[in-house]
Amino acid sequence: MVSQISAALPVPNFESSVSLARAHTDEDVTPGEIAVGVIIGRSSEYFDFFVFGIASVLVFPSLLFPYLSRLDGTLMAFAIFSLAFVARPVGTAISMAVQRRWGRGTKLTLALFLLGACTAGMAFLPGYASAGGKAIAALVILRIGQGLALGGTWDGLPSLLAMSAPQERRGWFAMIGQLGAPVGFILAASLFAYLYSSLSVAEFLDWGWRYPFFVAFAINVVALFARLRLVVGQSYAERLQQLELQPVSATQVMRHEGGNVLLGAFAALASFALFHLATVFPLSWIAMYSEQSITEVLSVQIVGALLAAAAMVLSGWLADRVGRRNLLGAMAVLIGLFSFTAPWLLGAGQVGNNVFLLVGFVLLGLSYGQASGTVTANFSARYRYTGAALSADLAWLLGAGFAPLVALGLSARFGVGAVSLYLLSGVVCTLAALRINRLIERKE
């Protein structure tokens, strides 16, 4: 059945995609067009990663680690999950070199095809029963490939969008690209919820779980066309040139403005810490330590993602009135307060679980909606393009990459209070970074 599905997948034509992109060269790039490109591109990337995250709970422990307990198998899957975030900064460094030599269109095409190929390749993954350790090694390689590819998908659209937006609407346009997160999660969770509820456990573990990975490849093809339409366009390239949003080597950025990279990463750490603690981690915790059904948990999370999308829209309105950094700081405080409720909510049965999920998603929407590039204005023009990418990479690595692994491992050993400590660490980092940034601005 897998071979039949793969045979039916469309094969993208690179020449036609480039010609489609060049057809747009004589038009002006508007903030609205940039916003559409950002949403489509981000949604495809988030979909890929949420598909893997959900599969790390529902599939990989049984498929690849049947010789371990359910807890240990899930922890092993989460360890593999984190590898993409480790590889992402490396992918950014490599992709900047590719872009300087062969151009933005080539870099983006290679990155999205690598991302799609690695994701689709996971759909053909054999189980431990038939391939032994080779199956685990294959998943590790494909996951690292996803991370390298994600580093290469940086196209400067978020920075261009922020700098092209009217000064009084920067917060509104900043949140637009973040909408890709709830969109990607809703698509991934809906697919898994439908398949999990429609198939027997044996059917789901045999072939049902593979469908979302095939869908991810198709979505990547659509995203490639949408983004190439912009990035190969002459007006887009000229606008990037005017704003000096051009790639430089990652080593140069870290040598000259490494402090700004770290400041940008830590400024958004509370939001990134909450990211997987509201999406991937609770699915694993509830699946193992609650009687609530998987389908119901996913359904509640889908509702939560819809609320997160609405909260992101609200964050854009609020940020333009109180300031993006003020809003991010206030949301860090609320996330800190929310962290104290985690042990009580996750120990209060089905109602508590649902409240934790829904409130967590709302806070995630309000905070993550403004987490992109909040302090990237600190970068000089020459280093802003690469610096913004590296700041995002480090925020994902330090805040979100290991969150499911650490939260589940510590919670299983010491109780759900460990989730509170993890979130609080992110809150402290965000508030400290925003304070340091404010002091730097006053000195200047």
Side-chain angles (χ1 to χ4, degrees), residues 40-51:
I40 293 175
R42 290 289 185 86
S43 297
S44 69
E45 295 163 11
Y46 285 117
F47 179 80
D48 283 15
F49 272 59
F50 280 129
V51 164

Side-chain angles (χ1 to χ4, degrees), residues 338-422:
F338 173 69
S339 70
F340 290 109
T341 69
W344 178 73
L345 290 174
L346 290 177
Q350 182 174 325
V351 175
N353 294 338
N354 292 345
V355 172
F356 176 87
L357 293 172
L358 296 177
V359 175
F361 267 105
V362 171
L363 291 177
L364 178 62
L366 289 170
S367 59
Y368 191 67
Q370 298 301 316
S372 176
T374 306
V375 298
T376 51
N378 294 343
F379 290 104
S380 60
R382 171 177 171 77
Y383 299 113
R384 181 171 296 173
Y385 181 87
T386 304
L390 290 174
S391 288
D393 291 346
L394 289 180
W396 280 113
L397 175 61
L398 299 175
F402 294 96
L405 175 65
V406 173
L408 181 61
L410 292 179
S411 297
R413 184 174 180 83
F414 302 108
V416 191
V419 176
S420 301
L421 294 176
Y422 193 91

Side-chain angles (χ1 to χ4, degrees), residues 38 263 381:
V38 171
L263 197 62

Side-chain angles (χ1 to χ4, degrees), residues 73-106:
T74 305
L75 290 173
M76 289 296 292
F78 281 163
I80 298 175
F81 175 81
S82 67
L83 293 177
F85 300 94
V86 177
R88 180 171 173 166
V90 179
T92 295
I94 295 172
S95 71
M96 293 300 170
V98 171
Q99 182 175 338
R100 293 198 306 272
R101 184 176 180 89
W102 290 291
R104 186 177 290 103
T106 299

